[in-house]
Amino acid sequence: MRILDPHIHMTSRTTDDYEALYAAGVRVVVEPAFWLGQPRTSVGSFTDYFDSLLGWERFRAAQFGVRHHATIALNPKEANDPRCRDVLAEVPRYLLKDGVVAVGEVGYDSMTPEEDEVFAAQLQMAQDAELPALVHTPHRDKLAGTRRTLDVVRESGLPPERVLVDHLNETTVALVRDAGAWAGFSIYPDTKMDEGRMVALLQEYGTDRMIVNSAADWGRSDPLKTVKTARAMLAAGFTEDDVDQVLWRNPVAFYEQSGNLVLDPVPGFTEGAGPAAGVEYEGSSVLRGVRA
C-alpha cells in the first residue's frame, strides 16, 4: 500500500509519527501553512514559519524516508487580523520555491469581508503562479460556506480542476463534485469525518476526484487515519486498486499540476536503518534562496 497524505501538519507532530507513517506506507506528505493556535503578531513570524516548512521540516521528514511538500498562504483565520495582512506581499515569492505544490490553506473561517478579500487575492496568486489551490471550508455553517467558496472560485477564473475543496462532509460533497473541483475529506477521531462515513460516501459517489487526508495537527488527531480509511475501504469490499486511487493516484494527480511534486524515494534513506544519517540538511541554501 502506498499513501500520499495531502493535508497533514507535521510541524506539530513528533519523529515517532514520521516513523509510524513510513511503516504504514505513507511516502509523501503535503503540509499546508495554517494557524498555529497562538495568534501571530507580525509578518516576520509568518516568514520564519514558511522558511521552516520549506527547509527544516523537509529535512526532518527525509530522515525517516518521507517526501515533504508544502502549500503556502495567509490562512483564513488570520486573514481577519490586520497585523497579518502585510504577509500577502510576501506570499508570491514563496510560491516560487522548491517543494511548494499549491496555494493554501485559503478560504473561510468566519466568512467575513476580510476573508473574502484575502481569499480572492490568493486565488489570483494561484493563477499568476500557475499553481493549484487548497481551500479550507468553515467548520461553522459549512453548507453556506461551501456555496460561497465555490462562487468565489468561479469568479476568480481558476479552473475547478486546479481546486481542492477540503473538510467536506455529506452535506457539501455533491456541490463540490458538481462544480468540477476535487473533494477533500479530513478523517478525525471525534470531529469532521470518520472512516465509516467516508466509506459510505465513496460507495455513493465513487472514487473519482475524491481525496482523503488526516489533517493531523496539535489537537486530538491521528496521522494514521489515511491508512485506517484504506483498511475500512478494503473491509467494505473496495479493491486494492480503489484504495490506490483514493490514497495515492488522486492526490498525486491534483498536486502534480504544480510541477513541483517529487515522488522518488529519499536518497540516502534505508528502510529499517533508523533516521537516515546520509540525508543532508540543505536548509541553509533553501533559506538563502527564500530570503533573497
Side-chain angles (χ1 to χ4, degrees):
M1 186 183 298
R2 55 182 182 170
I3 296 172
L4 187 162
D5 192 330
H7 186 150
I8 185 169
H9 300 288
M10 290 307 299
T11 296
S12 60
R13 309 302 302 192
T14 67
T15 53
D16 287 349
D17 290 323
Y18 272 123
E19 289 185 302
L21 286 169
Y22 187 90
V26 178
R27 295 295 181 267
V28 183
V29 298
V30 175
E31 178 161 2
F34 82 135
W35 181 58
L36 294 179
Q38 173 68 30
R40 281 173 277 219
T41 59
S42 69
V43 172
S45 58
F46 278 93
T47 56
D48 288 342
Y49 169 58
F50 294 162
D51 289 345
S52 178
L53 288 180
L54 300 179
W56 169 249
E57 199 58 40
R58 289 173 68 191
F59 166 69
R60 197 166 74 103
Q63 286 184 298
F64 298 92
V66 177
R67 285 285 190 183
H68 181 282
H69 304 77
T71 76
I72 298 293
L74 170 59
N75 67 85
K77 188 175 184 69
E78 288 177 301
N80 295 293
D81 190 335
R83 297 173 298 181
C84 302
R85 290 290 290 272
D86 287 347
V87 77
L88 290 175
E90 304 294 328
V91 169
R93 67 187 176 95
Y94 281 94
L95 300 181
L96 303 175
K97 302 302 175 184
D98 290 344
V100 177
V101 293
V103 177
E105 297 178 62
V106 297
Y108 288 111
D109 179 62
S110 300
M111 291 187 286
T112 64
E114 291 80 9
E115 291 172 25
D116 282 330
E117 294 174 13
V118 171
F119 186 17
Q122 293 188 108
L123 288 178
Q124 184 59 52
M125 292 179 194
Q127 282 272 47
D128 295 342
E130 299 184 343
L131 287 174
L134 174 63
V135 180
H136 171 98
T137 52
H139 302 302
R140 301 174 298 278
D141 204 0
K142 187 172 286 291
L143 182 58
T146 303
R147 287 190 176 120
R148 190 161 167 180
T149 292
L150 294 172
D151 286 342
V152 175
V153 168
R154 276 190 290 269
E155 292 166 4
S156 76
L158 191 66
E161 62 270 18
R162 279 173 45 197
V163 178
L164 169 54
V165 184
D166 213 349
H167 310 315
L168 299 180
N169 59 25
E170 294 88 345
T171 68
T172 54
V173 57
L175 287 173
V176 172
R177 288 178 62 80
D178 289 346
W182 294 78
F185 303 86
S186 300
I187 314 300
Y188 253 46
D190 298 317
T191 60
K192 298 177 179 152
M193 294 287 294
D194 62 26
E195 297 94 321
R197 291 167 60 197
M198 188 67 239
V199 167
L201 285 179
L202 290 168
Q203 290 170 329
E204 180 175 357
Y205 291 98
T207 58
D208 183 49
R209 288 186 289 117
M210 302 283 269
I211 290 181
V212 171
N213 64 73
S214 71
D217 55 18
W218 31 253
R220 188 164 187 271
S221 51
D222 183 353
L224 297 180
K225 279 296 187 181
T226 51
V227 69
K228 291 177 181 178
T229 300
R231 291 169 183 160
M233 288 177 65
L234 293 172
F238 284 95
T239 67
E240 292 184 1
D241 186 69
D242 294 329
V243 170
D244 190 70
Q245 179 174 359
V246 173
L247 276 300
W248 181 263
R249 299 199 306 270
N250 283 354
V252 165
F254 176 72
Y255 284 119
E256 268 188 339
Q257 296 178 99
S258 69
N260 294 329
L261 188 68
V262 179
L263 303 176
D264 299 336
V266 175
F269 177 79
T270 302
E271 186 172 356
V279 176
E280 296 184 1
Y281 179 44
E282 299 178 350
S284 57
S285 62
V286 171
L287 296 186
R288 281 197 296 273
V290 166
R291 293 296 190 185

